[in-house]
Amino acid sequence: DGVAEKAIEMVIPSVFVKGVEYEGRLKEQKFCEERGIEVRFVGQKVHGSTVIAMELSRRVKQSGTLAEV
C-alpha cells in the first residue's frame, strides 16, 4: 500500500526504528536502506496476541474453566 514509505519520504529520518519482532520481516527495510536511512530494532521480543490467545485456549481446554486459568 506504500503508506509507510510515503511517510518516510515526507519525514526523511536518519534512523527508522521498529520493535525486534519485525527483525527479518520489515517490508520497509530495503526502502530505507536504499535511501541511506539506518534501520534499528529495539526492545524485547514479546508474545503477540495470537500466541497469548492460543495459550489461554489451551489452558481453558485443559482445566475446563476460565476460573482456574
Side-chain angles (χ1 to χ4, degrees):
D1 59 9
V3 174
E5 289 86 348
K6 288 177 187 173
I8 292 166
E9 283 196 328
M10 288 176 62
V11 176
I12 312 170
S14 56
V15 180
F16 186 73
V17 180
K18 292 292 279 188
V20 293
E21 65 271 16
Y22 288 94
E23 196 165 6
R25 60 185 190 99
L26 180 65
K27 59 184 178 178
E28 298 88 8
Q29 186 163 355
K30 183 178 178 184
F31 178 86
C32 289
E33 290 171 346
E34 288 173 345
R35 287 156 180 77
I37 300 168
E38 181 182 353
V39 177
R40 289 191 190 173
F41 300 95
V42 298
Q44 295 178 342
K45 195 163 192 167
V46 295
H47 294 295
S49 59
T50 302
V51 172
I52 293 168
M54 290 173 59
E55 177 62 16
L56 180 60
S57 175
R58 184 190 69 75
R59 290 182 185 187
V60 168
K61 287 178 183 174
Q62 187 176 32
S63 68
T65 178
L66 270 173
E68 296 179 28
V69 176

